[in-house]
Amino acid sequence: MKVRYFEDSDTLLIEFRDAPIVETRDLDENTALDLDAQGNICAMTIEHASTRADAPRFSFEKVAA
């Protein structure tokens, strides 16, 4: 998984898997999901991320099973 924040456009891109994207679904005018041929989420794009997703502040925590 990759998380990228593009400060110049205030866009957050979260890539969940590296697979060919066959469909993009707009959740609203500032949020899109990219899907592969099986309907799995490959990526999510969030525009105006600094106000909508508190980007670029980010933390990651792996929780053991």
Side-chain angles (χ1 to χ4, degrees):
M1 181 165 80
K2 294 179 189 174
V3 178
R4 296 184 198 155
Y5 175 67
F6 301 91
E7 189 172 18
D8 61 332
S9 62
D10 194 21
T11 302
L12 181 66
L13 173 61
I14 305 168
E15 296 177 314
F16 298 103
R17 60 178 59 236
D18 185 20
I21 296 167
V22 299
E23 181 182 358
T24 298
R25 293 185 185 170
D26 291 328
L27 299 182
D28 59 34
E29 64 183 31
N30 297 303
T31 311
L33 287 180
D34 294 327
L35 308 172
D36 67 11
Q38 290 74 41
N40 297 312
I41 299 172
C42 297
M44 175 184 269
T45 303
I46 302 170
E47 303 292 338
H48 309 290
S50 63
T51 56
R52 299 184 70 233
D54 204 16
R57 198 177 97 194
F58 175 77
S59 66
F60 172 79
E61 180 180 350
K62 183 176 181 180
V63 179

